[in-house]
PDB file of all heavy atoms in Angstrom:
ATOM      1  N   GLY A 390     -39.444  -5.357  11.601  1.00  0.00           N
ATOM      2  CA  GLY A 390     -40.511  -4.375  11.765  1.00  0.00           C
ATOM      3  C   GLY A 390     -40.485  -3.272  10.735  1.00  0.00           C
ATOM      4  O   GLY A 390     -40.815  -2.114  11.042  1.00  0.00           O
ATOM      5  N   ILE A 391     -40.069  -3.588   9.508  1.00  0.00           N
ATOM      6  CA  ILE A 391     -40.115  -2.602   8.426  1.00  0.00           C
ATOM      7  C   ILE A 391     -41.059  -3.108   7.343  1.00  0.00           C
ATOM      8  O   ILE A 391     -41.348  -4.307   7.261  1.00  0.00           O
ATOM      9  CB  ILE A 391     -38.715  -2.327   7.826  1.00  0.00           C
ATOM     10  CG1 ILE A 391     -38.104  -3.613   7.269  1.00  0.00           C
ATOM     11  CG2 ILE A 391     -37.806  -1.700   8.848  1.00  0.00           C
ATOM     12  CD1 ILE A 391     -36.790  -3.399   6.551  1.00  0.00           C
ATOM     13  N   THR A 392     -41.532  -2.204   6.525  1.00  0.00           N
ATOM     14  CA  THR A 392     -42.482  -2.597   5.486  1.00  0.00           C
ATOM     15  C   THR A 392     -41.760  -2.868   4.172  1.00  0.00           C
ATOM     16  O   THR A 392     -40.608  -2.443   3.972  1.00  0.00           O
ATOM     17  CB  THR A 392     -43.513  -1.480   5.250  1.00  0.00           C
ATOM     18  OG1 THR A 392     -42.833  -0.331   4.689  1.00  0.00           O
ATOM     19  CG2 THR A 392     -44.211  -1.089   6.551  1.00  0.00           C
ATOM     20  N   GLN A 393     -42.452  -3.548   3.281  1.00  0.00           N
ATOM     21  CA  GLN A 393     -41.900  -3.806   1.954  1.00  0.00           C
ATOM     22  C   GLN A 393     -41.619  -2.493   1.226  1.00  0.00           C
ATOM     23  O   GLN A 393     -40.599  -2.356   0.530  1.00  0.00           O
ATOM     24  CB  GLN A 393     -42.893  -4.655   1.144  1.00  0.00           C
ATOM     25  CG  GLN A 393     -42.406  -5.027  -0.256  1.00  0.00           C
ATOM     26  CD  GLN A 393     -41.281  -6.038  -0.218  1.00  0.00           C
ATOM     27  OE1 GLN A 393     -41.415  -7.094   0.392  1.00  0.00           O
ATOM     28  NE2 GLN A 393     -40.160  -5.713  -0.852  1.00  0.00           N
ATOM     29  N   ALA A 394     -42.527  -1.518   1.403  1.00  0.00           N
ATOM     30  CA  ALA A 394     -42.356  -0.222   0.734  1.00  0.00           C
ATOM     31  C   ALA A 394     -41.097   0.493   1.250  1.00  0.00           C
ATOM     32  O   ALA A 394     -40.339   1.094   0.469  1.00  0.00           O
ATOM     33  CB  ALA A 394     -43.589   0.647   0.972  1.00  0.00           C
ATOM     34  N   GLU A 395     -40.850   0.425   2.561  1.00  0.00           N
ATOM     35  CA  GLU A 395     -39.657   1.068   3.122  1.00  0.00           C
ATOM     36  C   GLU A 395     -38.381   0.401   2.602  1.00  0.00           C
ATOM     37  O   GLU A 395     -37.410   1.083   2.267  1.00  0.00           O
ATOM     38  CB  GLU A 395     -39.704   1.001   4.647  1.00  0.00           C
ATOM     39  CG  GLU A 395     -40.770   1.915   5.256  1.00  0.00           C
ATOM     40  CD  GLU A 395     -41.072   1.603   6.708  1.00  0.00           C
ATOM     41  OE1 GLU A 395     -40.746   0.477   7.166  1.00  0.00           O
ATOM     42  OE2 GLU A 395     -41.649   2.476   7.386  1.00  0.00           O
ATOM     43  N   LEU A 396     -38.394  -0.923   2.544  1.00  0.00           N
ATOM     44  CA  LEU A 396     -37.225  -1.636   2.028  1.00  0.00           C
ATOM     45  C   LEU A 396     -37.004  -1.296   0.556  1.00  0.00           C
ATOM     46  O   LEU A 396     -35.862  -1.065   0.130  1.00  0.00           O
ATOM     47  CB  LEU A 396     -37.402  -3.148   2.195  1.00  0.00           C
ATOM     48  CG  LEU A 396     -36.276  -4.006   1.602  1.00  0.00           C
ATOM     49  CD1 LEU A 396     -34.938  -3.692   2.271  1.00  0.00           C
ATOM     50  CD2 LEU A 396     -36.602  -5.497   1.749  1.00  0.00           C
ATOM     51  N   SER A 397     -38.086  -1.271  -0.224  1.00  0.00           N
ATOM     52  CA  SER A 397     -37.965  -0.955  -1.655  1.00  0.00           C
ATOM     53  C   SER A 397     -37.373   0.435  -1.854  1.00  0.00           C
ATOM     54  O   SER A 397     -36.519   0.650  -2.729  1.00  0.00           O
ATOM     55  CB  SER A 397     -39.330  -1.043  -2.331  1.00  0.00           C
ATOM     56  OG  SER A 397     -39.826  -2.362  -2.278  1.00  0.00           O
ATOM     57  N   LYS A 398     -37.813   1.398  -1.037  1.00  0.00           N
ATOM     58  CA  LYS A 398     -37.305   2.758  -1.144  1.00  0.00           C
ATOM     59  C   LYS A 398     -35.798   2.798  -0.859  1.00  0.00           C
ATOM     60  O   LYS A 398     -35.023   3.423  -1.593  1.00  0.00           O
ATOM     61  CB  LYS A 398     -38.053   3.660  -0.166  1.00  0.00           C
ATOM     62  CG  LYS A 398     -37.601   5.119  -0.207  1.00  0.00           C
ATOM     63  CD  LYS A 398     -38.350   5.953   0.828  1.00  0.00           C
ATOM     64  CE  LYS A 398     -37.838   7.398   0.830  1.00  0.00           C
ATOM     65  NZ  LYS A 398     -38.518   8.211   1.867  1.00  0.00           N
TER      66      LYS A 398
END
Side-chain angles (χ1 to χ4, degrees):
I391 59 175
T392 66
Q393 182 71 54
E395 289 165 341
L396 176 61
S397 296
K398 180 182 177 182

